């Protein structure tokens, strides 16, 4: 159970996120929708603690994760795997090595320094790649893959973190329609098969309609809608996306 | 007719305006340059008589140091010219070793400090400024000055030279490496941070693989330069061929001067060729990987 | 591991060698390389007589020197020091200027697209290699024994070594220029001299300015130490004060050199920026 209470983040005078409160039950697939710059990305980054909250609290299964630091913070980051719009892979490493980056928090320091990964971890990484249908490319350099393939590598990296929560920040915004489908299907399948909670930022409403039972609408840093997708009416959509885009 | 003369008039006016604009600038630069040259000639104690008398003497000097080599007795001539070859080769070998050891040590210092010296690695302003100022200091103090100080502290011999070149190399490479680190985008860093990695592992996995080829090629380039530096630090007694070279120049042992210089030039050339081949191979493999990249969908 | 999963992984491993188990070849190549490298490094260090014991002892002496350096003083020699610093700058300036002027025609002669006969540019380039292969400090030492002690020897040394480097750079710059403009001048009936002046020179000029400034910057650094072998400039005082262990004077001189070099760096970077700005404008037009 992820619980967020009165979470705010300001940059100078700009309020990126203001007094956001919400809770997500285990196994949910939640879509976060809104215009670009509405604060969706800040919300997900706050949860992973890539961004520090200005005020408010985040807790997970009763543990206050917004107060963690050091080793505990790193373990929390491992537990809430992040997927980025631009994949954020390391171009010059092989696909396999990129996936194994997801195991760093579980391995001793010398393993990551020498990149001498244990066979057991390699097996876990390969199985994750097989699940996403890209194990054939395991030894290629990450930048030699197409965008859709790279995003699936990023999902595999998230999987081997053995997370309890997946945060996907606009995972398909830089992809073509075909890749969009394979990536979203992969996320949906992981949510279904592993019972992993997924929080997914989406710019397009159509995708949210197709994949998410529940959506959270963010506009100007505030949550303006939170409920089942069917309850989303034209007036709310206008509120979320503004007059011009609705 | 009027049209034509109008056009000519306009062009001429524009040209004059342009001349007025740039003219005074050119004049200013020219004047400043002339004053600088005048001052420098005075300060540098340059005079025509010195130049006129010096030039032929330099020519005579060059001719005098050239070896007597004739085709008929080439073998014996060469043997006479290179009479002290084993000793010189040993000194040259030492010179290359000084360059090697100090490049490695300097690169290690530069490597570890280049991360705090880069602004995007999240080390905070204080450590970044400290690391940068440290590199700047090491870079600005000439190697020979370090060598002079170290010869006093550590005694005559290669150790002083190695330490002097190490420090200078650390300064130069540290600046270059930190600049390369700053080309790393936050994106690739965040991918590793979000997986729960501590900072040293973020650097090891997110930064090092990306910067390694550039680092290696700069280190090799620095090695080439350091071979040259190592050949002159001997002039202040810090090891290598330099000391022998200074001795023969100061004692006017003409044949030996050309022999040592020839050996030195050949050594430097060999090091350059080997290092350049490796560097080009690195660059070539980078280019081939980059061209194999499909466009992102 | 479950036997079924085990079998699946083994099958994958045999289909894709290097995934589950690292390949033995590259692994051992890497191990061999690094152990060889370490052995070379330590063998070289031992051969050169480096030792921690000597290092710590020397560090103690260095500490003594450092303590005596503070506070930096000039013992009434400040006029001489400032004058020597001016001499250093003058040496760097004149050396660079002379090298730039000499190396421009040599650059033309050494360029394959200007001088067609290969013995000329081959011979010239090898001569330049030799000139370049000898360090400025060694040239300074030689010139001291030819023209005597003083800044003149330093100027000649800087000029000669830089000519070797600059002429090569200019020759390469000339070889890499756009040949269409040369053809245009030739097509308009221009002689080879016209081609050099009208087509090649304007394209090479910005390279020349940028390099000369860059070399002036570098030469300021090298000119500070030429005095160590008696070729003029501040280096003479530096070496002398170290010889007589006047450490506070040494500190004073170093504190004079550092800001001077820094100022020259900034100045040269600014001027290079100006030159490049003009070049960029030229492209835009």
């Amino acid at each position: 159970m992820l619980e967020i209470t009165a979470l705010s983040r300001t940059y100078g005078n700009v309020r990126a996120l203001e007094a956001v409160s919400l809770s997500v039950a285990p196994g949910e697939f939640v879509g976060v929708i809104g215009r670009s710059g509405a604060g969706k990305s800040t919300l997900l980054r706050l949860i992973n603690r890539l961004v520090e909250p200005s005020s408010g609290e985040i807790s997970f299964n009763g543990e206050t994760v917004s107060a963690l630091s050091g080793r505990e913070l790193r373990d929390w980051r491992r537990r809430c795997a992040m997927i980025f719009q631009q994949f954020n892979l390391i171009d010059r490493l092989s696909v396999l090595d990129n996936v194994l980056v997801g195991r760093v928090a579980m391995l001793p320091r010398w393993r990551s320094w020498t990149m001498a990964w244990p066979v057991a971890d390699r097996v876990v990484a390969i199985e994750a790649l097989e699940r996403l249908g890209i194990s054939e490319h395991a030894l290629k350099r990450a930048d030699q893959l197409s965008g859709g393939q790279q995003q699936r590598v990023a999902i595999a990296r998230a999987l081997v973190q053995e997370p309890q929560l997946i945060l996907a920040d606009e995972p398909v915004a830089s992809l073509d329609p075909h890749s969009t489908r394979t990536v979203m299907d992969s996320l949906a399948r992981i949510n279904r098969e592993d019972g992993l909670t997924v929080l997914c930022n989406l710019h397009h409403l159509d995708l949210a309609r197709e994949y998410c039972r529940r959506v959270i609408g963010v506009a100007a840093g505030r949550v303006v809608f939170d409920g089942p997708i069917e309850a989303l009416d034209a007036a709310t959509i206008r509120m979320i996306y503004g007059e011009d885009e609705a | 007719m009027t049209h034509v003369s109008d056009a000519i008039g306009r062009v001429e006016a524009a040209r004059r305006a342009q001349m007025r604009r740039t003219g005074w600038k050119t004049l200013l630069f020219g004047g400043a340059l002339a004053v600088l040259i005048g001052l420098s000639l005075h300060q540098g104690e340059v005079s025509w008589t010195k130049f006129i008398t010096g030039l032929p003497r330099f020519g005579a000097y060059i001719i005098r140091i050239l070896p007597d080599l004739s085709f008929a007795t080439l073998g014996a001539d060469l043997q006479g010219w290179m009479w002290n070859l084993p000793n010189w080769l040993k000194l040259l070998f030492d010179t290359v070793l000084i360059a090697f050891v100090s490049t490695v040590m300097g690169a290690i210092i530069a490597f570890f400090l280049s991360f705090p010296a880069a602004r995007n690695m999240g080390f905070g302003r204080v450590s970044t400024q400290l690391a940068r100022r440290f590199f700047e200091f090491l870079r600005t103090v000439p190697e020979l000055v370090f060598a002079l100080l170290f010869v006093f502290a550590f005694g005559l011999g290669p150790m002083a030279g190695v330490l002097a070149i190490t420090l200078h190399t650390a300064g130069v490479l540290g600046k270059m490496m930190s600049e390369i680190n700053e080309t790393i985008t936050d994106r690739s860093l965040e991918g590793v941070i979000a997986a729960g990695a501590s900072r040293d592992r973020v650097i090891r996995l997110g930064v090092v693989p990306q910067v390694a080829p550039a680092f290696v090629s700069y280190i090799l380039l620095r090695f080439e330069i350091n071979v040259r530096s190592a050949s002159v630090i001997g002039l202040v007694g810090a090891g290598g061929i330099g000391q022998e070279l200074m001795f023969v120049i100061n004692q006017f042992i003409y044949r030996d001067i050309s022999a040592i210089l020839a050996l030195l030039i050949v050594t430097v050339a060999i090091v350059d060729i080997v290092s350049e081949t490796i560097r080009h191979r690195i660059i070539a493999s980078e280019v081939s990987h980059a061209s194999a990249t499909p466009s992102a969908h | 591991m479950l036997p079924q999963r085990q079998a699946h992984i083994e099958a994958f491993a045999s289909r894709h060698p290097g995934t589950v188990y690292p390949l033995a070849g590259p692994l051992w190549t890497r191990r061999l390389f690094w152990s060889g490298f370490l052995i070379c490094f330590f063998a070289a260090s031992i051969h050169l007589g480096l030792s921690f014991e000597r290092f710590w002892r020397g560090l103690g002496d260095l500490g003594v020197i450092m303590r005596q350096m503070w506070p930096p003083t000039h013992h009434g020699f400040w006029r001489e020091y400032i004058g020597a610093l001016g001499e250093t700058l003058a040496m760097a300036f004149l050396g660079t200027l002379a090298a730039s002027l000499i190396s421009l025609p040599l650059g033309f002669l050494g360029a394959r697209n200007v001088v067609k006969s290969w013995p000329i540019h081959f011979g010239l380039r090898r001569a330049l290699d030799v000139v370049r292969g000898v360090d400025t400090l060694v040239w300074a030492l030689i010139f001291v024994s030819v023209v005597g002690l003083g800044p003149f020897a330093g100027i000649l040394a800087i000029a000669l070594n830089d000519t070797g480097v600059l002429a090569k750079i200019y020759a390469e710059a000339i070889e890499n220029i756009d040949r269409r403009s040369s053809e245009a001048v030739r097509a308009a009936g221009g002689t080879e001299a016209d081609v050099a002046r009208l087509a090649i020179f304007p394209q090479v000029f910005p390279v020349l300015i940028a390099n000369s400034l860059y070399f002036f910057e570098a030469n300021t650094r090298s000119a500070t130490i030429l005095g160590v072998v008696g070729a003029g400039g501040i280096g003479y005082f530096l070496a002398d004060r170290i010889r007589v262990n006047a450490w506070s004077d040494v500190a004073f001189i170093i504190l004079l050199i550092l800001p001077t070099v820094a100022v020259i760096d900034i100045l040269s970077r600014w001027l290079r920026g100006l030159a490049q700005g003009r070049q960029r404008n030229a492209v835009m037009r």
Side-chain angles (χ1 to χ4, degrees), chain A residues 45 48 50 74 77 86 88 90-93 104-105 107 109 112-113 115 141 143-144 146 157 161 174-176, chain B residues 112 187-188 190-198 200-201 204-206 209-210 213 286 289 292-294 297:
Chain A
R45 286 164 166 270
N48 184 275
L50 282 174
R74 294 198 290 274
R77 283 182 174 148
Q86 295 294 337
N88 295 15
I90 295 128
D91 289 346
R92 299 180 37 82
L93 288 186
V104 276
L107 290 170
R109 171 169 276 115
S112 8
W113 272 76
M115 285 174 67
R141 253 175 65 159
D143 59 2
Q144 288 177 310
S146 73
R157 177 175 67 188
Q161 286 178 228
S174 332
L175 301 179
D176 62 71
Chain B
F112 283 105
R187 287 201 277 116
S188 36
E190 276 179 349
V192 189
I193 295 171
S198 50
D200 63 295
R201 298 189 223 195
R204 172 63 187 88
L205 295 170
Q210 314 265 59
E286 284 307 292
H289 271 298
T293 309
H297 294 290

Side-chain angles (χ1 to χ4, degrees), chain B residues 151-213:
Chain B
V151 163
F152 187 85
F154 299 97
L156 288 168
M159 184 151 177
V162 167
L163 292 176
I165 299 177
T166 295
L167 289 190
H168 192 75
T169 303
V172 178
L173 281 181
K175 179 179 190 249
M176 286 172 163
M177 287 177 170
S178 68
E179 279 168 5
I180 298 166
N181 288 337
E182 286 182 349
T183 64
I184 295 292
T185 55
D186 286 350
R187 287 201 277 116
S188 36
L189 294 179
E190 276 179 349
V192 189
I193 295 171
S198 50
R199 183 155 55 197
D200 63 295
R201 298 189 223 195
V202 173
I203 288 170
R204 172 63 187 88
L205 295 170
V207 183
V208 172
Q210 314 265 59
V211 296

Side-chain angles (χ1 to χ4, degrees), chain B residues 44 140 142-145, chain C residues 83-96 135-137 140 150-159 161-162 215-239 253 257 260-261 264:
Chain B
T140 322
E143 279 153 331
L144 214 68
V145 174
Chain C
L85 200 62
E87 196 174 278
T88 303
L89 290 179
M91 282 158 57
F93 180 70
L94 284 182
T96 315
D135 196 89
T136 312
L137 202 67
F152 189 52
I155 294 169
L156 291 177
I158 291 174
N161 187 271
D162 280 15
F215 273 80
F216 175 55
E217 197 180 316
N219 285 337
T220 312
R221 289 161 196 266
S222 43
T224 55
I225 47 134
L226 290 184
V228 173
V229 296
I234 190 87
Y236 164 74
F237 286 109
L238 191 63
I253 294 170
I257 294 175
T260 310
V261 171
I264 294 292

